Structure formats: structure tokens, C-alpha cells
């Protein structure tokens, strides 16, 4: 729950759940929309402009403030500063300020940011008496900010910095242009796609790879706990594997596997040495290295159906006769309220960041797999509550 809450904070969408509309309300909205379409003057009664509606608009409009304050807390390493004093520590503004990398931090600004974030559930807050006898606020780690401690195995901080990188935020300003001109906001903002942008700007490439690695740490731990499909594999190719973090986790659990981490040349150029893994640069739209099995985690959702089919056909060519492709992706299920919010968040991210990427339902995935030449595929949910599924693809 706290992980999902943090994801919502990151994209600035925390707010009250809207209530289901009654049939009468839906009829009224339909009537109003037709009035506007006909350009007919129409005045909404003052009482129709409810305080709840206005409050919700404030939350939606200023949700970006939460995202940016969250980014500031990560850059200042506030969760780390607090946690290093103990798991139950509560620090005053002065205590936190004394650990910042500057001689004269602006305590007033820091206090306001902490107050703002604690109100939104990122930190816990307690009152205590200072040495001068005055009441002061002190801040501690809670179920949300624990995900932002860099020393922890599962740390979401790199994903915060990636998603709130200036280059990606700039693309969001062109969301409406994507509707008008039929191009991705990323292309409109920067004249290039997400991965070309990473090649041009190494700082973003690093932020992107770090962000992908941090979320994979959590997702892969769940996968490796339940999935036994790696046991019979001798060689495994991770297509779109970044700097090799996911493959390193797989091989740590299954050391008999020889791994090939396959990604764009500028990506693997920064990959660290990993025992049992060869880093190979290339283009998955041109070819894929040979292996007993091929693994792809959240790679295909970055691409259109046609592009996915090209990638998968290259995988089919590279596979052993009895080999398999292991795909780890989200599967949209509109009856699954637990994961539907995440699916919609991810889908808008794909719209903004990629050229044709999107989240897919099971039937959508099956059509892509069939078109690529895979005659048999099985879907298994990673955990009963997970958004991710493991999909095994076979020739027949």
C-alpha cells in the first residue's frame, strides 16, 4: 500500500476518491455537454459549484507541488538523515539542517517543506519542547518515507529522481499537443524519443538506468521467490536489460546460468562487470543474441504493437528450437480495482515518454504474441495482488 501511495505522490495525483455518479448526474452531464457543443448560453447555478468540487480541483492543480517537494526531500537526503539516527528517531528542523551539505541552510524553507510533506503522509510529525522551552516540530520515518532511504535494499528514491527529471517533466507540458498533432509529447518537447534523448544526455541516461534498477529490485525479488522457470535454462538473454541489474539478481539465484545483458551500446558502456554476465550492445529491432531463453521485463510496453511484433520475431529467430521467451509485464484488468490506478498511471507515462507504448489487456498481448509467431503462451500472475504477470512464449 505504501509503495502504491508513493507512486501516486510521485505523479502528483493524491486526492480523494471520486464518488460514483448517479444515473441522474450522468444524464445532467450529457445534457450540459450538448449545450456547450451547440454554443448555447447556459448558466450553472451557484449551488452546483460545490466546495468538494473546488477542493478536488485544488488538489489536482497543485499536485505537482507534492511531487516537487518529494524530489527536494530526496535530493537533500532527508529520509537518510533521519534514519541514520535510529529507526524510531524524530529530528527537529535544526537537527536535520545540521546534516545538510551547506554551512548556512535556510531553516525556514526546510521547515515549510517538512511541514508540507508530513501533512501529505510522507513523514511522521511529533511535537516536543526545545531546549529553550518552546514547542517545536520533529519529523520521523513512516511507511512511505522508508522507501526513500538509500541504504535500504528496496529504495524508490532513484525512481523519484528519474520521473521528475527536467527532461521528462518538460514533455508533460506538451500532452495537449500530442492530441492536436499526433506526436508523442517527448518528441514535441525534445525532437527525439526517450532512448535517443538518453543517448544525447548521459545524466538522464544514468537517472533512467538507476530508476529502472531500483524498481526491478523489488519486482524481481517477488518474481524469484515464486517463479521456477529459470531452473532448466543454461543461457539467458535479457533484452533491454539496462546495466544488467535484473540479470545479476537472476544469476545470483541461479548461478548455473550464463547471462547476456543486451541493450543499446551507450547503455551497456556504463554497465559494471557482473560475474557470469556478458554485456553486449546492439539494436533489438535488428537482431537479438542467441540463447536457451530470452527475458524481457517491462520492455515491450514501451513500444507499439507493430514494434513489439518486430522485437518478438527477432527473439523467435534467436531462440533454441525448444526455447522460450519470458515476458514480465503488467496486464490491465478493469475489474481489478487494486491495480487499475497503477495501470492508468503507467499508460499515461507511456503516452508521454514513448512512441506508441501503452499498457495492454490480456487479449491485446495475445494478439501481439500470435502475430509474432508464438503459437503457445501462458500467463501467471507474479503474486495474487501483483500488477505484473509472467508470460511464457513458445513456438508451438
Amino acid at each position: 500500500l505504501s509503495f502504491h501511495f508513493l507512486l501516486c505522490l510521485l505523479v502528483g495525483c493524491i486526492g480523494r476518491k471520486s464518488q460514483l455518479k448517479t444515473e441522474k448526474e450522468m444524464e445532467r452531464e450529457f445534457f450540459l455537454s450538448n449545450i456547450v457543443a451547440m454554443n448555447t448560453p447556459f448558466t450553472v447555478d451557484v449551488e452546483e459549484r460545490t466546495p468538494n468540487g473546488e477542493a478536488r480541483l485544488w488538489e489536482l492543480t497543485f499536485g505537482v507541488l507534492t511531487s516537487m517537494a518529494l524530489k527536494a526531500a530526496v535530493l537533500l537526503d532527508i529520509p537518510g538523515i533521519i534514519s541514520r539516527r535510529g529507526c524510531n528517531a524524530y529530528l527537529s528542523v535544526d537537527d536535520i539542517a545540521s546534516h545538510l551539505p551547506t554551512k548556512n541552510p535556510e531553516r525556514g524553507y526546510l521547515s515549510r517543506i517538512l511541514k508540507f510533506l508530513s501533512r501529505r503522509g510522507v513523514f511522521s510529525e511529533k511535537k516536543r519542547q526545545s531546549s529553550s522551552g518552546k514547542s517545536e516540530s520533529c519529523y520521523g520515518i513512516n511507511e512511505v518515507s522508508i522507501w526513500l532511504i538509500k541504504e535500504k535494499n528496496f529504495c524508490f528514491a532513484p525512481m523519484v529522481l528519474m520521473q521528475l527529471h527536467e527532461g521528462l517533466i518538460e514533455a508533460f507540458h506538451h500532452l495537449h499537443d500530442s492530441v492536436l498533432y499526433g506526436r508523442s509529447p517527448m518528441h514535441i518537447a525534445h525532437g527525439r524519443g526517450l532512448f535517443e534523448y538518453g543517448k544525447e544526455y548521459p545524466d538522464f541516461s544514468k537517472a533512467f538506468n538507476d530508476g529502472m534498477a531500483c524498481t526491478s529490485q523489488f519486482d524481481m525479488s517477488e518474481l524469484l521467490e515464486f517463479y521456477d522457470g529459470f531452473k532448466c535454462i543454461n543461457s539467458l538473454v535479457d533484452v533491454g536489460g539496462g546495466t544488467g541489474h535484473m540479470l545479476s539478481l537472476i544469476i545470483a539465484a541461479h548461478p548455473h546460468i550464463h547471462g547476456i545483458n543486451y541493450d543499446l551500446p551507450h547503455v551497456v558502456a556504463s554497465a559494471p562487470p557482473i560475474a557470469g554476465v556478458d554485456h553486449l550492445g546492439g539494436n533489438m529491432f535488428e537482431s537479438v543474441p542467441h540463447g536457451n531463453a530470452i527475458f524481457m521485463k517491462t520492455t515491450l510496453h514501451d513500444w507499439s504493437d507493430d514494434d513489439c511484433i518486430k522485437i518478438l520475431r527477432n527473439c523467435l529467430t534467436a531462440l533454441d528450437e525448444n526455447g522460450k521467451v519470458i515476458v514480465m509485464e503488467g496486464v490491465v484488468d478493469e475489474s481489478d480495482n487494486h491495480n487499475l490506478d497503477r495501470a492508468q498511471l503507467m499508460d499515461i507515462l507511456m503516452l508521454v515518454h514513448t512512441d506508441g507504448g501503452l499498457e495492454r489487456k490480456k487479449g491485446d498481448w495475445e494478439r501481439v504474441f500470435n502475430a509474432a509467431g508464438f503459437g503457445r503462451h501462458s500467463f501467471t500472475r507474479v503474486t495474487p495482488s501483483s500488477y505484473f504477470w509472467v508470460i511464457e512464449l513458445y513456438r508451438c
Side-chain angles (χ1 to χ4, degrees), residues 265 342 375:
R342 180 168 185 175

PDB file of all heavy atoms in Angstrom, residues 265 342 375:
ATOM      1  N   PRO A 265      24.240   0.331 -27.235  1.00  0.00           N
ATOM      2  CA  PRO A 265      25.673   0.438 -26.917  1.00  0.00           C
ATOM      3  C   PRO A 265      26.005   1.462 -25.841  1.00  0.00           C
ATOM      4  O   PRO A 265      26.838   1.204 -24.974  1.00  0.00           O
ATOM      5  CB  PRO A 265      26.292   0.814 -28.266  1.00  0.00           C
ATOM      6  CG  PRO A 265      25.374   0.206 -29.284  1.00  0.00           C
ATOM      7  CD  PRO A 265      23.998   0.342 -28.698  1.00  0.00           C
ATOM      8  N   ARG A 342      -2.801   1.950 -10.918  1.00  0.00           N
ATOM      9  CA  ARG A 342      -1.414   1.828 -11.389  1.00  0.00           C
ATOM     10  C   ARG A 342      -1.371   1.643 -12.896  1.00  0.00           C
ATOM     11  O   ARG A 342      -0.522   2.223 -13.575  1.00  0.00           O
ATOM     12  CB  ARG A 342      -0.721   0.665 -10.693  1.00  0.00           C
ATOM     13  CG  ARG A 342       0.730   0.501 -11.149  1.00  0.00           C
ATOM     14  CD  ARG A 342       1.516  -0.451 -10.280  1.00  0.00           C
ATOM     15  NE  ARG A 342       2.909  -0.485 -10.687  1.00  0.00           N
ATOM     16  CZ  ARG A 342       3.861  -1.147 -10.051  1.00  0.00           C
ATOM     17  NH1 ARG A 342       3.559  -1.833  -8.954  1.00  0.00           N
ATOM     18  NH2 ARG A 342       5.092  -1.127 -10.476  1.00  0.00           N
ATOM     19  N   GLY A 375       3.004 -19.683 -31.000  1.00  0.00           N
ATOM     20  CA  GLY A 375       1.754 -20.415 -31.026  1.00  0.00           C
ATOM     21  C   GLY A 375       1.199 -20.760 -29.666  1.00  0.00           C
ATOM     22  O   GLY A 375       0.035 -21.113 -29.533  1.00  0.00           O
TER      23      GLY A 375
END
